[in-house]
Amino acid sequence: MLDYTHVEDLSAADIARLRAVYEPLTASVRELIDATIRTEVDADAVAAAKAEIDSAAARLRAAQRDGSFGIQFGADGDPMPWGNAVIGVRNPCAPPLVIRKEPDGSVKSDFYLGAAFEGPPGHVHGGVSAKILDHILGDAASTPGVHRLTGTITVRYRRLTPLGRLRSEARVTHTDGFKTYAVGHIADSTGVTVDAEAVFIEPKWARD
Amino acid sequence: MLDYTHVEDLSAADIARLRAVYEPLTASVRELIDATIRTEVDADAVAAAKAEIDSAAARLRAAQRDGSFGIQFGADGDPMPWGNAVIGVRNPCAPPLVIRKEPDGSVKSDFYLGAAFEGPPGHVHGGVSAKILDHILGDAASTPGVHRLTGTITVRYRRLTPLGRLRSEARVTHTDGFKTYAVGHIADSTGVTVDAEAVFIEPKWARD
């Protein structure tokens, strides 16, 4: 069902080189996204900026892969989901989350959400919180080589989440055959704002 | 709790003029995001593109609002959530969804999700589906002047959602005091891929 087409034999040095090329580009586009939302310059300045943006996009499109990024693999088998909407280091719309695995198997991430993630004024869009929780609970539920897919997720909003520095955590509670259950939350500096529970399914093609 | 600070007395003509200035800019940044994810040009070409992007961002930051966009209001009281993460016409990370209200009170949206919304290869990130459903169910549950906030949402994934052209629909099922219940789904050309149910809460400050 899933087409992991972009499998290449990249060494650790290749991957480091690609990161060094593309991460600064992505960081610049993230800054541009924020500036695009917040700018109050006049129409002439907007037009001048737009011309530069169109020129940059044309340069980048001179050679590009067909379709979406997919997932590349390094020579060691590590996946490189660099286009991913939540963790992709080449996706300017990803915060991106950097997720740490703790010795007890739980996962944690500290991240910053700015103007691009707004719903209610000054606050994180509820859907953005759901997006992040779907990913981080899925990460807790996955093991090397087996990325489990969300079956059902329930997200409870305790109060509004302010834009700014946030933390998310998740852990597995139990497993039942090919189902893995996880819980997690998002918190600001004063405590939990949103929590979630979900069941993740091991894809049929990955069983046995 | 919510600070609707950017209230201005904009006429319909003012709003049309602002749209004409900023929508093409945002569209260009959306193209750039897609190009950034998919590009395979070499390091020199990436550096040249990055220099143009940094220049464009500096032009836009010459005058900018503090913090996030917030919500402006036109002279007729219509909200302009142009920075919104799902529907914002000035937010390059928003698809953006254009939501139609049907005569029966339900809401519908046809939209396109490309490389920036990927999770599993070639498919929509499950969290992105949750984000969209949170917004569109909330839109169904809201009435002019009262935007209800998500209390709890449950999202069920029936199968993977392919990137590309999609549709989402939502409707209110019932209300109970200050709680409004809604259901909805996302579908591709062959049927429903994800469905959701949620309860939305009328904010305390909006009651009576």
Side-chain angles (χ1 to χ4, degrees):
Chain A
M1 183 161 205
L2 292 178
D3 184 19
Y4 290 88
T5 49
H6 296 297
V7 177
E8 290 167 34
D9 193 27
L10 296 168
S11 69
D14 290 334
I15 293 173
R17 184 181 54 76
L18 289 171
R19 247 188 202 271
V21 171
Y22 292 115
E23 273 195 325
L25 170 67
T26 312
S28 285
V29 179
R30 286 195 187 107
E31 281 293 312
L32 178 66
I33 290 165
D34 185 82
T36 297
I37 296 169
R38 295 169 59 198
T39 190
E40 295 183 319
V41 298
D42 65 22
D44 287 347
V46 167
K50 182 180 182 302
E52 288 176 311
I53 293 162
D54 290 342
S55 170
R59 283 181 198 273
L60 296 174
R61 288 209 193 278
Q64 66 177 7
R65 68 187 69 222
D66 290 337
S68 54
F69 190 84
I71 299 182
Q72 293 185 325
F73 288 86
D76 56 2
D78 275 359
M80 298 158 55
W82 287 4
N84 186 281
V86 175
I87 60 169
V89 297
R90 283 189 55 178
N91 187 333
C93 291
L97 255 62
V98 177
I99 301 174
R100 313 187 293 282
K101 201 101 176 177
E102 301 290 324
D104 66 2
S106 68
V107 295
K108 292 186 181 172
S109 183
D110 295 284
F111 54 96
Y112 178 88
L113 298 182
F117 301 95
E118 187 175 48
H123 293 80
V124 178
H125 192 294
V128 169
S129 295
K131 180 172 76 167
I132 287 169
L133 286 163
D134 172 81
H135 193 98
I136 198 160
L137 269 68
D139 200 79
S142 294
T143 45
V146 182
H147 184 77
R148 296 189 170 80
L149 299 170
T150 322
T152 301
I153 184 168
T154 296
V155 182
R156 274 176 301 267
Y157 298 84
R158 298 191 190 181
R159 59 180 168 89
L160 290 174
T161 304
L163 292 173
R165 300 211 166 275
L166 298 165
R167 165 173 284 207
S168 186
E169 305 186 11
R171 63 184 173 81
V172 168
T173 55
H174 60 290
T175 60
D176 178 9
F178 54 83
K179 295 181 179 178
T180 302
Y181 295 81
V183 297
H185 64 256
I186 292 173
D188 65 7
S189 61
T190 64
V192 173
T193 59
V194 190
D195 59 40
E197 57 184 51
V199 54
F200 294 87
I201 313 290
E202 188 168 326
K204 279 189 188 127
W205 53 262
R207 293 176 203 165
D208 308 308
Chain B
M1 183 162 205
L2 290 178
D3 184 20
Y4 290 89
T5 49
H6 295 297
V7 176
E8 290 167 35
D9 193 27
L10 295 169
S11 69
D14 290 334
I15 293 172
R17 183 182 54 76
L18 289 171
R19 246 188 203 271
V21 170
Y22 292 114
E23 272 196 324
L25 170 67
T26 312
S28 285
V29 179
R30 287 196 186 105
E31 280 294 312
L32 178 66
I33 290 165
D34 186 82
T36 297
I37 296 169
R38 295 168 59 199
T39 191
E40 295 182 320
V41 298
D42 65 22
D44 288 346
V46 167
K50 182 179 182 302
E52 288 177 311
I53 294 162
D54 290 341
S55 170
R59 284 181 197 274
L60 296 174
R61 289 210 193 277
Q64 66 178 9
R65 69 187 68 225
D66 290 336
S68 55
F69 189 84
I71 299 182
Q72 293 185 323
F73 288 86
D76 55 3
D78 275 359
M80 298 159 55
W82 287 4
N84 186 281
V86 175
I87 60 169
V89 298
R90 283 189 55 178
N91 187 332
C93 292
L97 255 63
V98 178
I99 301 175
R100 312 188 295 281
K101 200 101 177 178
E102 301 290 324
D104 65 3
S106 68
V107 295
K108 292 185 180 174
S109 182
D110 295 284
F111 55 97
Y112 178 87
L113 297 182
F117 302 95
E118 188 175 48
H123 293 80
V124 178
H125 192 293
V128 169
S129 295
K131 179 173 77 167
I132 287 169
L133 286 163
D134 171 82
H135 193 98
I136 198 160
L137 269 68
D139 202 79
S142 295
T143 45
V146 182
H147 184 77
R148 295 188 171 81
L149 299 171
T150 322
T152 302
I153 185 168
T154 296
V155 182
R156 274 175 301 268
Y157 299 84
R158 298 190 189 182
R159 60 181 167 87
L160 289 173
T161 304
L163 292 173
R165 300 209 166 277
L166 299 165
R167 165 173 285 207
S168 186
E169 305 185 12
R171 63 184 174 80
V172 168
T173 55
H174 60 290
T175 59
D176 178 9
F178 54 83
K179 294 182 179 178
T180 302
Y181 295 81
V183 297
H185 64 256
I186 292 173
D188 65 7
S189 61
T190 63
V192 173
T193 59
V194 190
D195 59 39
E197 58 184 52
V199 55
F200 294 88
I201 313 291
E202 189 167 326
K204 281 188 188 129
W205 52 263
R207 293 175 204 165
D208 307 308

